Amino acid sequence: MTEAMAQPRTLFDKIWESHVIAPQGEGTYLIYIDLHLIHEVTTPQAFEGLKLAGRKVRRPDATMAVADHNIPTTNRAAGVAGIANHESKLQVDVLERNVREFGVPYFAIDSIDQGIVHIIGPEQGLSQPGMTIVCGDSHTATHGAMGALAFGIGTSEVEHVLATQTLIQAPAKNMLIEVNGALGAGVSPKDVILAIIAKIGTAGGTGHVFEYAGSTFRDMSMEGRMTVCNMSIEAGARAGLVAPDEKTIAYVMGRPFAPKGAAWEQAVAYWRTLPSDPGAKYDKEAHLDAADIAPHVTWGTNPEQAAPITGRVPDPARIDDPLRRAAVERALQYMQLKPNTLLTEVPVQRVFIGSCTNSRIEDLRAAAAIAKGRKVADGVTALVVPGSGHVKHQAEEEGLDRVFLEAGFQWRDAGCSMCMSMNDDKAMNGERIASTSNRNFEGRQGKNAKTHLMGPAMAAAAAVTGHLADVRQLG
Amino acid sequence: MEKFTQLTGVAAPLPIINLDTDKIFPAIYLKTIKRTGLSQWLFQEIRFRADGSENPDFVLNQAPYRNAKILIGADNFGCGSSREHAPWALLDFGIRCIIAPSFADIFYNNCFKNGVLPIALHKEIVDELMEDARKGANAVMTIDLETQTITRPDGDKVHFELDAFRKHCLLNGLDDIGLTEQKSAEIGVYEEKARLARPWQFGMTQPRT
C-alpha cells in the first residue's frame, strides 16, 4: 500500500468532498448546493430578507418552486383564487409574487406538474444522484433515495442558499443501516423504516447521515426507497441515502429535467463512481433482518413509539427511566389508550392515504388492492390524496380512482393535505386516524387528533375494517 | 442578528424528552409570513387550555418563569420539522439560551441563525441544572459566551463546548450571508469547475424548448 492510495470512502464522503468550496472556521465548511427546492411555508421571510438587503437569487436555474402545504385538495381548477382560507391564500400569493420578482421557475397550482415538493423532485428528474439538494422542509431526506445528499434547512439557511447557492455546514458522521432478506407478504417499505426507527429511536441518527444498504433496499423499488429515506429525519438523521444503481439510472432516464444525449452519458458515468468503496468505514451501524419485520403501526406521539400490529399498547409501569416513563404516560393519555390493549382492537374514525411518505403510484396501487371490492366501514371518513398531478393522472389511467370511489374513499387533488393540516383537510373533534404520513406528534393532524402511522395497505385495511388491522388477514 | 455576549436570567425547567417543533410551534400557525410576534403561539397546546386561558400547570405561566431567558430541556430537544418558527417564537418570548443533553440537528442550527445559544452538556450536569431551575425566583444563571461558562445559582461554574466559528458569529452578531459573500470569488471558481465536471446541472430548472 502506498500513501497515495486513497482511503475507501462512503457515498456520503464522496458527495460531501466534491461539494466543499472552502473551510469556514474549524470543523465547518462552505459547501455548494446543486438544487434548491422551495415552497410557500418556509420562504416568505427568506425572500423578505433578500429584498431588505438588496440581494438577488444567485442561481434561479438551480431553484424550483411549488406550493403544496396550503393547497386545497378540491376545486383546483379555480387556481389560487379557489383557496378559501385567507392566510393560506396569502402565503401562496406571496410565493407567486416572489418567484416572479426573482425569476425562479415555478409549477403553478393548476398545473399537472404541481405536487408535494418531495414527490415532484424525483418525478420530474430534478433530483439526481450525487447532488446536494436542500429544501426548507425536514422531509427533504426523501431525495436521498436517488443517491443525492438531501437535507432540510431552516428559513435563514433558505435565504443563505438563495443568495449564495452555498451553506455553512459541519460534515455529518456516517451511519450504516443494513437490512438483508426478502420482506414477508404484506410488509411494505413503511414497515421497514418504522421498524428501524423503533429499534434505534428518534435520536438514533442525530449528527449522522444514514446509508441504507443490504439486499432489502437493493430489491426495493425507487418509490419504496423514497418512503424509507423520507423518514430518516424521524430517527434524527439529517439525511438518508441509497447508493445509485441500475434501478436509479433507469428511473431518472427520460424524465423532463434529466440530462439528455451526450450529457446523459457523462452523467451516468459519474453516477456509477458514487457508491461507497469496499471497506469504507462507518461511525455507527444498525442491522436488521427483513424476515423479522412485521407490518407496523405507531401507538404513541412520536415515530419511535411503534410496534408490530400483532402487538399490544405498552405498559409504562415497566419502564425504569423516569423521563421515558413520563413520556409514554403522556403519550397514552393523549392517545387515550390503555396499557396492554391489543392494537387490532383500536378503532379509527378517519383514514389518510397520502403525504410525501406514501402518495406515489405504488402506494396508491397497494391501498387500492385492499380497497377493491370492499367498503369503507361505517363511521369512517377516508381520504386518498395523490402526491402530484402526474400521480393522480396515472392512477386514473389505471382505474384506481374508481376502485377508491366505489369503496367509499374520497379521491382528491395533490398536496400535503392532512399530513400537517395546513389546508382544510383535518381531523375533527379529536378523531383517531390511520395515516400513511410521517409524524404522529400531538395536534399535528388537528386539535387532539390521534395519529397512528402505517403503510398504505395497512391504512386501507383500517378503513375497511374500522379499526387498526393486520393487512395479512385481509388477503 | 443581536450579539450574544453575556446573559443573566431565570432558567425554566422543561423536562420533556423528544420535545418536537410541532409542540414548540404548531403547524397551523405556520401560515404567518412574518418572523416576529410569534411568541403568542409558543407551546400553544401545553401552554393554553381549550378555552384559550393559560394552563397554570405549565412552567412558563408561573410567576418567576414568565420572564425566563434560559430553558433547561431534556434529550433530543427540537426534533421534527425544520421550521425556524420554533426558535423565532422562543426568542420572541425572551428565551436566548437552551441547555439540554442533546438537540435535533436542524433546530440546533436554526438557533444560531437567530442569536439563540443552544448548549449541549452531559445528562448528569443537565440534571443538576434542572434541579437549580426548580428554585423559582432563585433559579438565576449567567451564561458567559466568551469564557464558555454557566454560573449556577450557587456560584459554581460549568464549562461548555462550542464550535469556534459559531461562537465568533454569536459574539459579534454576524450575518452568515455577509460572511459568505466575502468568499464570492471562491464560489465563482468552484462553479466554473463544477460546470466542467457536471455540466448537466447548470441551467437545469430553466424551461425546456
Side-chain angles (χ1 to χ4, degrees), chain A residues 290-309:
Chain A
D292 296 339
I293 302 174
H296 271 59
V297 295
T298 60
W299 48 262
T301 54
N302 74 48
E304 78 177 35
Q305 295 177 328
I309 183 65

Side-chain angles (χ1 to χ4, degrees), chain A residues 18 24 26 32 34 45 55 58-61 63 88 91 155-156 160 202 207 257 422 439 444, chain B residues 18 22 30-32 34-35 80-81 84 105 163 180-181 183 190-191 200-206:
Chain A
S18 63
Q24 179 84 279
E26 61 178 52
Y32 200 75
D34 296 324
Q45 298 88 347
R55 292 179 170 126
R58 184 178 176 99
R59 294 253 341 253
D61 68 307
T63 313
S88 288
Q91 221 166 40
T155 297
S156 294
H160 195 277
T202 55
F257 293 88
M422 283 190 71
R439 287 195 177 128
R444 185 170 165 99
Chain B
N18 300 319
D22 273 75
L30 293 176
K31 293 181 186 185
T32 180
K34 300 188 185 320
R35 65 172 98 196
S81 154
E84 200 161 321
D105 289 336
D163 170 74
T180 299
E181 282 176 339
K183 290 200 156 70
Y190 178 90
E191 276 176 342
W200 62 91
Q201 290 177 2
F202 286 76
M204 193 176 74
T205 66
Q206 296 308 297

Side-chain angles (χ1 to χ4, degrees), chain A residues 43-381:
Chain A
T43 55
Q45 298 88 347
F47 280 111
E48 184 191 30
L50 289 186
K51 280 180 220 178
L52 289 172
R55 292 179 170 126
K56 291 187 169 66
V57 175
R58 184 178 176 99
R59 294 253 341 253
D61 68 307
T63 313
M64 179 57 83
V66 71
D68 54 7
H69 287 64
N70 281 278
I71 301 303
T73 54
T74 54
N75 189 30
R76 280 284 272 290
V80 181
I83 306 177
N85 181 286
H86 171 74
E87 288 173 298
S88 288
K89 180 172 180 299
L90 178 63
Q91 221 166 40
V92 178
D93 280 338
V94 167
L95 179 70
E96 294 200 336
R97 197 180 66 215
N98 284 329
V99 297
R100 268 198 309 277
E101 200 174 321
F102 287 87
V104 172
Y106 172 64
F107 291 135
I109 81 165
D110 54 357
S111 154
I112 192 170
D113 294 325
Q114 186 273 347
I116 305 172
V117 65
H118 307 309
I119 301 290
I120 65 173
E123 179 179 273
Q124 294 282 343
L126 287 161
S127 313
Q128 299 165 13
M131 280 182 158
T132 48
I133 302 174
V134 295
C135 174
D137 191 291
S138 57
H139 293 112
T140 307
T142 313
H143 309 264
M146 308 303 302
L149 176 61
F151 53 93
I153 55 177
T155 297
S156 294
E157 290 179 315
V158 169
E159 186 179 338
H160 195 277
V161 176
L162 287 171
T164 68
Q165 204 59 31
T166 68
L167 271 180
I168 300 168
Q169 293 280 301
K173 292 179 180 164
N174 284 286
M175 181 164 177
L176 179 71
I177 309 271
E178 190 181 31
V179 186
N180 283 303
L183 294 173
V187 180
S188 76
K190 182 65 160 283
D191 302 311
V192 175
I193 187 63
L194 285 174
I196 291 167
I197 298 165
K199 182 182 168 89
I200 68 173
T202 55
T206 303
H208 292 73
V209 163
F210 290 157
E211 181 175 340
Y212 298 101
S215 68
T216 309
F217 300 114
R218 291 267 74 82
D219 294 343
M220 205 177 265
S221 67
M222 290 305 294
E223 287 85 353
R225 294 177 187 179
M226 289 177 213
T227 298
V228 170
C229 288
N230 172 274
M231 289 187 71
S232 302
I233 183 74
E234 311 311 337
R238 250 344 245 295
L241 297 157
V242 178
D245 58 9
E246 294 312 308
K247 220 177 254 182
T248 319
I249 292 166
Y251 181 92
V252 180
M253 192 166 73
R255 292 185 182 267
F257 293 88
K260 307 278 189 303
W264 170 258
E265 298 303 326
Q266 192 182 358
V268 169
Y270 172 63
W271 297 343
R272 290 196 206 281
T273 68
L274 293 169
S276 296
D277 299 328
K281 294 277 183 291
Y282 295 85
D283 301 284
K284 223 169 148 182
E285 296 188 9
H287 301 266
L288 282 81
D289 189 340
D292 296 339
I293 302 174
H296 271 59
V297 295
T298 60
W299 48 262
T301 54
N302 74 48
E304 78 177 35
Q305 295 177 328
I309 183 65
T310 49
R312 291 172 185 272
V313 175
D315 188 346
R318 298 172 65 176
I319 301 171
D320 290 334
D321 180 86
L323 283 188
R324 298 214 165 261
R325 185 169 60 239
V328 170
E329 281 167 352
R330 163 82 196 175
L332 295 189
Q333 183 201 352
Y334 179 85
M335 294 296 289
Q336 291 183 19
L337 289 174
K338 292 203 167 54
N340 304 315
T341 307
L342 267 176
L343 287 166
T344 48
E345 288 175 357
V346 177
V348 300
Q349 293 83 47
R350 195 170 277 262
V351 173
F352 171 59
I353 296 170
S355 89
C356 57
T357 316
N358 281 123
S359 64
R360 298 173 193 85
I361 189 67
E362 180 181 290
D363 301 317
L364 303 190
R365 286 178 191 144
I370 298 301
K372 193 174 176 69
R374 295 190 170 95
K375 291 283 180 201
V376 171
D378 285 345
V380 175
T381 307

